[in-house]
Amino acid sequence: MKIFRNPDVMWREEDEFREQAYKGLDTGEDVAEIGTSILLHSGKMHSLNVLGTEIWKLCDGKTPQEIVSTLREMFDVDEEVLRKDAGEFLQNMKEEGLVYEE
Amino acid sequence: MTPDNLIDPFIVYWDINSSGYSDAIISIICDALIKNKIFVLNLRDLSNPVSTTVSNIIDKLARSNIKIRLTINHGAIERSMIKNLQEHGISLFTETDSIEKLLSVSDNIIANVSFLLNQKNFHEIPAVIAFCIKNRIKELEFPIQRAEEGEIFYPAHSEVDQLAHALKEIPLELLKLTVHDPFLWKVFFKREHLEGMGCNGAYTMIYIADNLDVTPCPLLPVTLGNLCSETLKEIFSSFKRRQIRKEIIAPPYECRGCAIADNCKGGCRGRTYILLETFNKKDPACCFNC
């Protein structure tokens, strides 16, 4: 099962907030509330934090397992925790019509 | 999102001056729209025929990811124009303010409809929707009123109730509807509350007037800057924008005690500002009993 971004979704990374979030990660701060990208779909705006943004960017035909493996290289988080968080996040995005499976 | 960590707007409304702009100005603005990663540009040109400025802007944005929605005068539409714009992926709307005008040229209409509401035509809404469905028009928009274009209209509560009753008989799902007015939105989309709503002026959207003044919204005439002398980025980053945003998101004093004030945040802030000359009163069109 591969995950793809819905091409109708308009999105952009917020460079300033992205920089702020990565600086925070380096110093061990909680950056979960910093929105580093914005998605616009069907008139609804979604703001994703740094982990959400990286997952979103990886939805280019990768499987959930491939996404988790790539995230493991980027974030110092336990694999089980990452799998659970990414799985829930992908499910939410699917329900919102932001991604689809093939 | 607080005023301190404001994102830059991603929806821009731009009303074109019929006299046009210099090529240099158009280039500067279009480059800024691309650089600032704008998602949607709502262009509006009511001159007849449509000015060459529009095609100039479209050409300059052709290779960008910006989605363009173009609204033109109902009388200015031509078949060749529709084909050309469709090839560029542009959504074309024709603006009108009466069902009579829509009916008079129905054979030519393939575009979407922008129906500008006023006191005289509010009761025509069900007929306009029925017309659009019958003619397989994809989108119907009730556009944001322009602060500088005549009297600010809002319907009486009894008229809103009549509309809600009439809409029960209409299959709205056959049409993509864009409704900006928060209280009409509630009627069309049958929501009890305005969850997560509130004015987006100077937040996700901004308005470029025909003289290139930048304001939070077409209906909120507080100038944040002018694109002849400032860049879009400077205006986005300005103290003025943060300040006006702070005022917009603070629920009006009159709304204290209202159960939905934190979501609604006072309804249409531009309408209140124009009609009551303050942000601290509730929207005159408010249909909630607080």
Side-chain angles (χ1 to χ4, degrees):
Chain A
M1 181 185 65
K2 294 175 176 176
I3 315 281
F4 293 89
R5 291 189 291 270
N6 178 345
D8 292 337
V9 177
M10 289 178 274
W11 69 283
R12 75 180 184 201
E13 283 195 273
E14 296 294 303
D15 299 335
E16 190 187 328
F17 294 119
R18 186 173 188 271
E19 200 177 309
Q20 192 184 326
Y22 274 94
K23 266 187 190 165
L25 280 176
D26 285 345
T27 53
E29 287 170 41
D30 181 4
V31 297
E33 296 300 315
I34 301 175
T36 62
S37 66
I38 287 163
L39 280 55
L40 183 66
H41 179 50
S42 298
K44 193 173 171 185
M45 184 180 89
H46 305 263
S47 178
L48 308 185
N49 64 17
V50 67
L51 180 62
T53 299
E54 294 306 332
I55 294 174
W56 167 252
K57 284 158 65 183
L58 291 167
C59 294
D60 55 1
K62 290 186 176 59
T63 65
Q65 183 52 48
E66 287 169 335
I67 290 173
V68 171
S69 300
T70 310
L71 291 172
R72 277 277 289 150
E73 293 164 15
M74 303 169 76
F75 299 101
D76 184 20
V77 183
D78 179 74
E79 183 163 351
E80 269 313 300
V81 174
L82 207 49
R83 181 173 289 120
K84 184 174 170 289
D85 287 354
E88 285 174 4
F89 182 73
L90 286 168
Q91 182 59 30
N92 284 342
M93 288 212 294
K94 210 174 93 181
E95 285 166 12
E96 291 284 351
L98 301 172
V99 296
Y100 65 95
E101 294 171 354
E102 234 177 53
Chain B
M1 193 64 65
T2 66
D4 290 332
N5 58 1
L6 266 183
I7 56 166
D8 286 346
F10 50 73
I11 297 173
V12 172
Y13 290 82
W14 184 3
D15 285 357
I16 301 300
N17 188 320
S18 56
S19 312
Y21 309 102
S22 72
D23 197 47
I25 280 284
I26 293 173
S27 291
I28 288 169
I29 296 173
C30 289
D31 288 348
L33 294 172
I34 295 169
K35 200 174 169 191
N36 287 282
K37 302 181 193 173
I38 298 302
F39 291 157
V40 184
L41 174 63
N42 295 279
L43 277 178
R44 182 174 180 250
D45 178 10
L46 298 186
S47 51
N48 190 358
V50 177
S51 74
T52 52
T53 303
V54 169
S55 51
N56 200 352
I57 293 168
I58 289 170
D59 285 346
K60 291 197 186 326
L61 298 176
R63 288 183 190 170
S64 75
N65 291 323
I66 298 173
K67 183 180 175 187
I68 300 175
R69 291 160 60 95
L70 171 63
T71 299
I72 63 169
N73 188 309
H74 188 59
I77 193 164
E78 292 168 17
R79 279 190 189 280
S80 59
M81 182 194 298
I82 293 170
K83 195 176 170 226
N84 185 32
L85 292 172
Q86 277 174 341
E87 282 170 4
H88 280 82
I90 292 162
S91 303
L92 178 65
F93 289 77
T94 57
E95 183 170 305
T96 189
D97 61 2
S98 83
I99 184 72
E100 199 182 338
K101 288 178 194 166
L102 267 181
L103 290 167
S104 68
V105 284
S106 62
D107 284 352
N108 288 323
I109 293 177
I110 310 169
N112 305 302
V113 172
S114 176
F115 194 80
L116 190 58
L117 291 171
N118 57 41
Q119 193 67 59
K120 285 182 186 166
N121 67 20
F122 186 79
H123 68 282
E124 294 180 351
I125 289 177
V128 171
I129 294 172
F131 171 87
C132 289
I133 292 172
K134 187 183 167 198
N135 289 279
R136 297 185 181 186
I137 287 164
K138 283 184 188 167
E139 288 192 55
L140 169 62
E141 178 177 33
F142 298 105
I144 303 172
Q145 294 177 74
R146 267 49 180 173
E148 71 277 12
E149 289 178 9
E151 207 171 309
I152 302 304
F153 161 74
Y154 63 92
H157 293 185
S158 59
E159 291 174 302
V160 174
D161 289 344
Q162 281 172 19
L163 174 65
H165 185 73
L167 290 180
K168 284 180 187 166
E169 309 296 322
I170 299 174
L172 294 177
E173 65 279 5
L174 296 176
L175 193 61
K176 186 177 174 191
L177 274 165
T178 303
V179 182
H180 297 279
D181 184 297
F183 303 112
L184 280 185
W185 189 90
K186 175 179 174 283
V187 173
F188 276 97
F189 300 106
K190 300 179 180 66
R191 304 280 171 86
E192 282 303 309
H193 301 297
L194 299 170
E195 287 165 13
M197 296 301 286
C199 174
N200 279 317
Y203 175 37
T204 60
M205 75 168 187
I206 51 124
Y207 170 61
I208 305 173
D210 60 0
N211 64 356
L212 303 182
D213 271 355
V214 175
T215 70
C217 160
L219 193 49
L220 182 45
V222 175
T223 306
L224 304 173
N226 185 287
L227 292 174
C228 291
S229 53
E230 290 154 280
T231 67
L232 204 55
K233 188 66 190 172
E234 283 168 345
I235 294 170
F236 286 175
S237 310
S238 66
F239 175 75
K240 268 188 186 172
R241 178 176 168 237
R242 286 175 191 277
Q243 197 59 29
I244 193 77
R245 194 58 208 157
K246 213 170 163 182
E247 296 198 63
I248 287 172
I249 60 172
Y253 184 70
E254 274 195 350
C255 297
R256 71 194 187 285
C258 175
I260 62 152
D262 282 342
N263 283 324
C264 165
K265 299 188 190 300
C268 175
R269 310 296 273 136
R271 182 161 52 207
T272 309
Y273 186 80
I274 291 175
L275 294 175
L276 305 175
E277 298 176 350
T278 175
F279 285 117
N280 223 1
K281 292 192 173 173
K282 73 179 195 179
D283 185 343
C286 174
C287 55
F288 291 98
N289 296 315
C290 312

